[in-house]
Amino acid sequence: MTTDAITHLQCTICAAHHQPEPGRYTCDDCGEAGTLDVRYDYDLVGTTLNQESLAANRDITMFRYSDLLPIAPNAVPTPLTVGGTPLYLAPILASKVGVRSLWIKDEGREPTASMKDRASAIAILKAQEQGAEIITTASTGNAAAALAGIAASVGQKSVIFVPASAPQAKVAQLLAFGATVVLVDGNYNDAFELATEAVGKWGWYNRNTGVNPYVAEGKKTVALEIVEQLGFSPPDAIFVSVGDGSIIGGVHKGLKDALALGWIDTMPRIYGIQAAGSDYMMRAFESGVDVATMPAINAATAADSISADLPRDRVKALAAVTETGGAYLRVEDDHILRAIPEIAAATGVFAEPAASAAYAGLEVASQQGLVGPEDHVVVISTGSGLKDVPSVLAGVSAIGAEPIRVPPSLGALETAMDR
Ligand SMILES: *Cc1c(COP(=O)(O)O)cnc(C)c1O
Ligand SMILES: [Zn+2]
């Protein structure tokens, strides 16, 4: 049972219509690349969800948009506050990169400290709708922590597959939240394949990115919030980092919804930022090859959350950029790591590498003349720096920042401060 406003699920490759029944994940004809998109009757949605109803709604969580989400009208969401994250004006960074204004959307403020909470908050409701005993996902770490945390908040069992190389803080979160954690000796792709096999064998509810049609609906709420926080006047450009391509697809979807509902009248350009060592989408964008069939690459980057051999939501991820007049851009790991203290010192927002990558991408876009002094820009900081402290330390030492070390005496401090 989902909301009446859903008309159908539409294949992103062949446009075939499917019904949102239990067990329906991807398109039969197009296989796993045939991710489905949830379609709504916007006239119906608009009768209950509009600028007036939003102004009167005291719920600050992502569920303020529940009429535009694939959940039952009586669904009881996680008690955790998912969504409602701040959008900060960042004037120092704006003048540094030479844009008219710059806002940072701080998704590090989500309950498990990344934007993945928005996706998992939906997935958990879908699992409960179907009476699933276990919900599972493969993840580079943040989707795992999000699912485990939100599952814990509602007493749902979760089994999580992560690559053995996942940062310690993320694995610590999983274990603390009481998930069954499977560390896979391999990369994210290997973890993903193993999770898929386990779903086939045991029939667990599958939250996997790019397979589950509903998780992107959760991620789209970040764009709806940005639109609302900017008083329904859209920015000119939005920068977001890309691994599997689900977030960028979700951002695009949220903006399309906002256009369809008349909340905005222009579509911002969407820029997808990839690490140079994990640049599948960038290569596809440059070469124009068909992402439905383009083979996997060998990804390696310090920004673990955007390390993806084969972006699972690649079809939507490409459309997000090509349909909005944006671009894909690649940034080197050392640039990503240096961006962490740069953002932090200028704004107080603490980003993990996959999040600082989006700002690093804005710097590249500015150098290339893709954005300029007339542009209002939003950068989505997708996850907290506390997720991966060793990477933050690498970034900090790359800019030469180090503590002053002294014995506990004022004289020694005075000498040290003079240096
Ligand atoms: C997952 C993640 C991304 C990338 O999202 P995709 O949907 O995989 O493209 C970026 N930043 C952070 C912090 C993430 O956790
Ligand atoms: Zn299809």
Side-chain angles (χ1 to χ4, degrees):
M1 252 289 290
T2 47
T3 166
D4 295 338
I6 293 183
T7 54
H8 60 278
L9 305 179
Q10 186 162 323
C11 175
T12 46
I13 296 177
C14 75
H17 291 200
H18 299 273
Q19 283 315 302
E21 71 252 344
R24 165 61 63 195
Y25 292 110
T26 51
C27 176
D28 301 326
D29 291 338
C30 300
E32 219 186 63
T35 307
L36 302 179
D37 184 38
V38 184
R39 295 296 171 96
Y40 300 85
D41 175 346
Y42 290 108
D43 289 338
L44 186 59
V45 171
T47 59
T48 52
L49 183 65
N50 46 55
Q51 296 186 30
E52 295 74 48
S53 75
L54 285 170
N57 189 345
R58 309 271 289 268
D59 180 4
I60 64 146
T61 75
M62 62 181 270
F63 292 98
R64 65 193 274 102
Y65 309 110
S66 55
D67 292 350
L68 194 54
L69 292 173
I71 57 174
N74 60 350
V76 181
T78 168
L80 300 174
T81 302
V82 181
T85 58
L87 183 71
Y88 297 120
L89 207 47
I92 298 173
L93 295 181
S95 62
K96 231 170 168 175
V97 291
V99 294
R100 182 137 150 221
S101 59
L102 171 57
W103 288 269
I104 308 244
K105 180 71 168 162
D106 186 10
E107 287 292 303
R109 290 277 297 274
E110 297 286 359
T112 78
S114 86
M115 216 191 107
K116 298 295 195 297
D117 287 342
R118 294 180 188 268
S120 289
I122 297 290
I124 214 88
L125 287 173
K126 301 309 284 180
Q128 288 179 330
E129 227 174 64
Q130 297 180 21
E133 199 195 328
I134 289 176
I135 182 167
T136 190
T137 195
S139 161
T140 57
N142 282 340
L147 187 63
I150 289 174
S153 77
V154 299
Q156 172 84 35
K157 274 192 204 156
S158 61
V159 178
I160 311 282
F161 296 79
V162 285
S165 60
Q168 211 180 12
K170 298 181 183 180
V171 178
Q173 278 184 299
L174 298 178
L175 294 168
F177 288 135
T180 301
V181 181
V182 184
L183 281 188
V184 181
D185 286 321
N187 63 11
Y188 169 55
N189 207 38
D190 298 314
F192 190 99
E193 298 298 343
L194 186 58
T196 305
E197 285 176 45
V199 164
K201 183 160 172 65
W202 289 296
W204 298 337
Y205 187 79
N206 186 356
R207 178 240 175 267
N208 271 349
T209 299
V211 171
N212 189 300
Y214 303 111
V215 294
E217 296 299 300
K219 289 173 180 167
K220 80 181 180 186
T221 59
V222 77
L224 298 172
E225 273 178 25
I226 290 169
V227 163
E228 232 194 311
Q229 287 170 315
L230 293 178
F232 300 96
S233 82
D236 298 294
I238 298 186
F239 284 74
V240 54
S241 61
V242 176
D244 267 332
S246 175
I247 291 181
I248 196 172
V251 167
H252 187 207
K253 179 65 179 291
L255 295 170
K256 284 190 286 189
D257 283 355
L259 266 178
L261 289 165
W263 296 0
I264 56 174
D265 48 20
T266 55
M267 174 61 82
R269 311 190 302 275
I270 302 177
Y271 292 91
I273 312 306
Q274 294 214 284
S278 178
D279 62 348
Y280 180 106
M281 293 308 309
M282 177 75 201
R283 293 189 207 183
F285 179 72
E286 284 172 325
S287 66
V289 304
D290 181 7
V291 287
T293 50
M294 177 174 150
I297 63 168
N298 273 317
T301 167
D304 67 293
S305 303
I306 49 171
S307 185
D309 292 354
L310 182 66
R312 298 291 167 171
D313 240 340
R314 52 198 180 276
V315 178
K316 286 184 190 172
L318 190 62
V321 160
T322 56
E323 290 178 9
T324 64
Y328 271 95
L329 294 164
R330 59 167 77 78
V331 287
E332 299 294 334
D333 274 7
D334 63 342
H335 188 184
I336 290 174
L337 295 178
R338 271 187 285 113
I340 296 173
E342 193 182 339
I343 300 163
T347 65
V349 172
F350 196 38
E352 72 164 88
S356 69
Y359 173 74
L362 170 59
E363 290 186 326
V364 172
S366 166
Q367 281 153 17
Q368 297 186 3
L370 297 173
V371 292
E374 67 292 343
D375 282 318
H376 298 286
V377 176
V378 170
V379 169
I380 303 180
S381 183
T382 41
S384 165
L386 293 173
K387 292 275 193 171
D388 185 1
V389 171
S391 287
V392 176
L393 287 172
V396 160
S397 88
I399 63 158
E402 48 182 67
I404 302 165
R405 180 139 194 187
V406 293
S409 99
L410 190 58
L413 178 62
E414 212 177 351
T415 313
M417 297 286 274
D418 286 342
R419 278 205 300 272

